[in-house]
């Protein structure tokens, strides 16, 4: 594999009237500068591009021998950048051999698969929305070998049709979690990821046996590099709980390689996926039954399962590659904001206090989480809000990676401990986006509160106690979020968009079944919270109430919550009323997955049928719920009149799409359309040939 100079990007990141950030990853250190144009159209000449800023600053950090992450910041030469008009940009790269631009990498060719421009434009374009009418894209859960069509292809086609219509062209892209799947890596991807990681890290590649000496011994020294060889290591050494961890990403280089392969077609052009036969010949496949002479039948069965899965996944990866071009073009032309969920790091990440404690005290588990968070920062977090990461954060991260070049054990060194602790303790991943209306991104993973108080459960006649599900955001963290919001430009009279990777209002059937019938099994010592995602806001009544308390305190009338996670799409409207007669509206928009349809197979069909049956019951109906003094959420058949002992009450309505569905299970990406008097939610779908829209009924503001 030959690695290209341009590894990934460009990606438009944080954009405001005063700063524009562009992210890019390269395999060589280069001086990178940006130029901004105003793109205007006339019938005679088409688009003209006038330079409005050549003032840029670039911050570059080296994270591997051949991996440089750069954040280019464009600044206005006047007071501010123009809004509600089309802007364009180009990047210039100074190297020893001369100056190159994006066109030098064949990215500016019109009507070409490789291109990152739309239509007849000369450069990638975007606009800064400051008007009453514009659109936003949002979605989550994009897995390389996920079922169904990649909605980045559909979004790219949608953008290609509307790129010159600012009322229809998305002004922002919100990615709400599971941008990569670190724990669930396809078999054909494992070899590709491993090879790319070695190339970009070079002599900076980690030696994991320095972290855990057991990895020097058989069978783990070989298993670490074999297909499906990491499940036991993940469970017993890292203390992870993913059931699909046979190819789990461990090193920083592997995490970085996965991002590059998800976002950029450049490496794919130089990559050949090995055949199953080649892996067998090279002893690159892990077998549980190693002695074929004594376990011939089991060994043959294992081999057949490996081969069947591998061949199926090769087809999925080849299909996925088509969408990578589209992903790059969308993100190059749309200011993009991201937030992690669990799979960006590992499945069930910080699910419970016990999970966190076991993993953090495991040398290998702690190391892998730190690697995942560092990769998240470099590829996602840094561009969300660069000012959140001070020079000390950058210096500490850089110092650790520079020390890797010496290839000596660092695990007991201060430089390693400081880097690891910094990643585990950092909890300022939340941020506000300077959009209109304002958008607040919540971190529901690193700011949790794990209560020691048990909750009562009843199973038949048996009454037991079981641990509480976590509050997804602890009290002290809510205060920091409130302070950030109050320091922003948000006007209480305007709607507020709140991005919560986990929906505040999920699909009631799934959440209720898990809460009433699955959660109680924990009292018998059955770790069902690892098998099912027991992480909805609803699963901790106090945490749910605390969310409501802050919405009430903030004083807004309309809150729009954008979420993903569930592999379902829905639209819920709730009217909240407090005892002190304070009222406000919550509009829950959920879009998931971009590429990872989950409702297949026999169990999937049953669950999908149950959801649809439940959805029919909810269609066009009003449901009533209240929160009592013990933080229990209580449903009622009609609106409460006597509100004694009630903290607040609400009326809930599940809205349906124009084809009559309350939930959608196909791959989708959400489109939020904002106007002066209403905000609507539409799902973009793609059938492999064309895109289509499924609109929910609109929401007045």
């Amino acid at each position: 594999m030959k690695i290209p100079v341009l590894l990934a990007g460009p990606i438009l990141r944080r954009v405001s009237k005063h700063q524009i950030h562009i992210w890019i990853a390269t395999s060589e250190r280069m001086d990178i500068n940006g130029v901004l144009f105003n793109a205007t159209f006339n019938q005679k000449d088409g688009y003209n591009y006038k330079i409005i800023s050549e003032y840029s600053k670039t911050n570059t950090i080296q994270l591997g021998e051949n991996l440089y992450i750069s954040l280019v910041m464009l600044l206005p030469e006047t007071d501010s950048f123009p809004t509600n008009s089309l802007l364009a940009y180009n990047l210039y790269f100074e190297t020893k051999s001369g100056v190159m631009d994006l066109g030098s990498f064949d990215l500016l060719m019109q009507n070409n698969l490789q291109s990152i421009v739309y239509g007849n434009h000369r450069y990638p374009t975007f606009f800064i929305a400051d008007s009453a009418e514009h659109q936003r894209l949002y979605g989550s859960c994009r897995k390389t070998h996920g079922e169904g069509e990649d909605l980045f292809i559909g979004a790219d086609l949608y953008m290609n049709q509307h790129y010159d219509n600012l009322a229809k062209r998305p002004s922002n892209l919100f990615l709400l979690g599971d941008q990569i799947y670190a724990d669930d890596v396809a078999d054909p991807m494992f070899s590709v990821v491993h090879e790319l990681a070695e190339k970009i890290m070079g002599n900076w590649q980690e030696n994991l046996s320095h972290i855990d000496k057991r990895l020097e011994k058989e069978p783990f020294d070989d298993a670490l590099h074999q297909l499906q060889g990491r499940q036991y290591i993940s469970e017993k050494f890292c203390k992870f709980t993913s059931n699909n961890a046979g190819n789990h990403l461990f090193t920083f280089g592997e995490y970085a390689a996965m991002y590059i392969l998800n976002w950029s077609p450049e490496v794919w052009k130089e990559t050949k996926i090995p055949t199953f036969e080649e892996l067998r010949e090279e002893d690159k496949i892990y077998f549980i039954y190693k002695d074929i002479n004594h376990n011939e039948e089991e060994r043959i069965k294992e081999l057949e399962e490996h081969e069947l899965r591998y061949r199926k996944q090769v087809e999925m990866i080849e299909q996925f590659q088509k969408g990578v071009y589209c992903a790059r073009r969308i993100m190059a032309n749309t200011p993009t904001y991201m937030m992690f969920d669990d799979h960006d790091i590992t499945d069930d990440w910080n699910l419970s206090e016990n999970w966190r404690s076991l993993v953090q005290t495991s040398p290998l588990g702690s190391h892998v989480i730190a690697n995942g968070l560092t990769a998240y920062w470099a590829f996602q977090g840094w561009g969300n809000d660069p000012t959140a990461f001070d020079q000390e954060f950058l210096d500490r991260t850089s110092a650790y990676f520079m020390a890797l070049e010496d290839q000596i054990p660092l695990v007991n060194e201060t430089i390693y401990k400081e880097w690891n602790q910094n990643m585990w303790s950092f909890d300022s991943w939340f941020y506000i986006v300077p959009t209109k209306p304002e958008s607040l991104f919540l971190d529901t993973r690193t700011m949790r509160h794990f209560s020691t108080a048990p909750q009562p459960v009843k199973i038949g006649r048996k009454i037991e106690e079981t641990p509480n599900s976590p509050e997804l955001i602890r009290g002290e963290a809510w205060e920091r979020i409130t302070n950030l919001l109050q320091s922003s430009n948000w006007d209480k009279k305007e709607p507020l968009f709140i991005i919560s990777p986990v929906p505040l209002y999920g699909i009631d059937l799934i959440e209720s079944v898990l809460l009433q019938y699955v959660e109680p099994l924990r009292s018998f010592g059955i770790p069902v919270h690892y098998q099912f995602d027991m992480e909805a806001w609803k699963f901790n009544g106090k945490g749910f109430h605390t969310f409501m308390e802050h919405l009430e305190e903030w004083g807004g009338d309309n809150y729009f919550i954008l979420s993903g996670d569930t592999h379902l799409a829905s639209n819920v409207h709730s009217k909240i009323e407090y005892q002190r007669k304070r009222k406000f509206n919550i509009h829950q928009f959920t879009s998931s997955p971009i590429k990872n349809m989950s409702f297949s197979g026999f169990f999937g069909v049953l669950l999908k049928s149950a959801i649809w049956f439940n959805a029919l019951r909810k269609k066009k109906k009003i449901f009533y719920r209240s929160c009592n003094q013990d933080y229990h959420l209580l449903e009622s058949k009609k609106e409460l009149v006597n509100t004694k002992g009630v903290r607040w009450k609400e009326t809930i309505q599940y809205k349906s799409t124009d084809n009559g569905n309350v939930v959608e299970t196909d791959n989708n990406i959400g489109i939020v359309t904002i106007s002066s008097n209403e905000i609507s939610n539409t799902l973009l779908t793609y059938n492999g040939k064309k895109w289509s829209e499924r609109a929910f009924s609109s929401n007045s503001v």
Side-chain angles (χ1 to χ4, degrees), residues 291-302:
D291 189 346
I292 192 170
N293 296 319
H294 293 88
N295 304 103
E296 183 178 3
E297 183 178 342
E298 292 83 358
R299 178 65 174 257
I300 291 173
K301 183 179 179 181
E302 261 194 281

Side-chain angles (χ1 to χ4, degrees), residues 452-644:
T452 56
Q455 63 175 339
V457 297
K458 184 177 180 181
I459 308 175
R461 296 181 179 179
K462 186 178 178 64
I463 298 176
E464 291 285 348
E465 291 182 320
T466 186
N468 255 311
S469 293
E471 294 179 44
L472 299 188
I473 297 179
R474 61 183 179 269
E476 168 270 330
W478 274 117
E479 297 310 309
R480 292 165 56 201
I481 293 167
T482 298
N483 292 336
L484 180 65
L485 182 62
Q486 290 175 344
S487 66
S488 73
N489 295 320
W490 178 56
D491 183 343
K492 295 178 181 180
K493 297 177 182 178
E494 296 291 324
L496 176 65
F497 278 80
I498 301 173
I499 287 73
S500 169
V502 179
L504 185 63
Y505 292 86
I507 300 302
D508 185 64
L509 173 71
I510 296 177
E511 293 182 348
S512 296
V513 167
L514 290 176
L515 193 59
Q516 295 177 26
Y517 301 107
V518 177
E519 171 70 10
L521 296 178
R522 293 177 68 181
S523 63
F524 292 99
I526 303 173
V528 293
H529 52 305
Y530 295 147
Q531 306 302 319
F532 300 90
D533 285 337
M534 306 297 296
E535 301 183 273
W537 286 97
K538 179 180 177 180
F539 293 160
N540 187 297
K542 185 178 180 181
F544 190 98
H545 165 71
T546 302
F547 199 145
M548 292 295 184
E549 280 283 285
H550 283 87
L551 297 184
E552 194 271 343
E553 175 191 332
W554 294 344
D557 293 325
N558 285 282
Y559 299 100
F560 288 82
I561 300 178
L562 304 185
S563 302
D565 180 58
T566 60
H567 295 197
L568 296 164
S570 61
N571 190 338
V572 183
H573 178 207
S574 174
K575 296 180 180 180
I576 309 294
E577 181 176 347
Y578 266 74
Q579 285 280 41
R580 43 193 176 269
K581 302 304 179 183
R582 163 93 172 98
K583 298 179 181 180
F584 56 88
N585 295 281
I586 297 175
H587 311 267
Q588 171 74 66
F589 297 170
T590 303
S591 173
S592 174
I594 292 175
K595 180 175 170 55
N596 194 15
M597 284 174 58
S598 298
F599 294 91
S600 59
F602 179 71
F603 177 77
V605 171
L606 285 179
L607 185 56
K608 186 175 180 179
S609 299
I611 291 170
W612 283 83
F613 179 79
N614 189 58
L616 287 174
R617 184 176 65 88
K618 293 184 181 300
K619 194 182 302 182
K620 296 181 180 180
K621 291 183 180 179
I622 302 295
F623 296 85
Y624 303 97
R625 191 166 65 179
S626 61
C627 179
N628 68 13
Q629 296 299 317
D630 293 326
Y631 307 110
H632 293 150
L633 302 178
L634 307 175
E635 294 185 3
S636 55
K637 293 183 179 180
K638 58 183 180 179
E639 185 175 4
L640 289 180
V641 177
N642 181 4
T643 57
K644 184 179 180 180

Side-chain angles (χ1 to χ4, degrees), residues 385-420:
D385 183 8
T387 60
F389 308 96
D390 59 20
Q391 195 59 45
E392 183 181 358
F393 183 101
L394 300 181
D395 290 344
R396 187 171 289 164
T397 303
S398 178
Y400 165 67
F401 279 88
M402 294 289 287
L404 289 174
E405 186 177 15
D406 295 332
Q407 287 293 298
I408 60 174
L410 297 173
V411 66
N412 294 318
E413 301 295 327
T414 300
I415 197 169
Y416 174 84
K417 293 176 180 178
E418 287 183 347
W419 163 74
N420 184 285

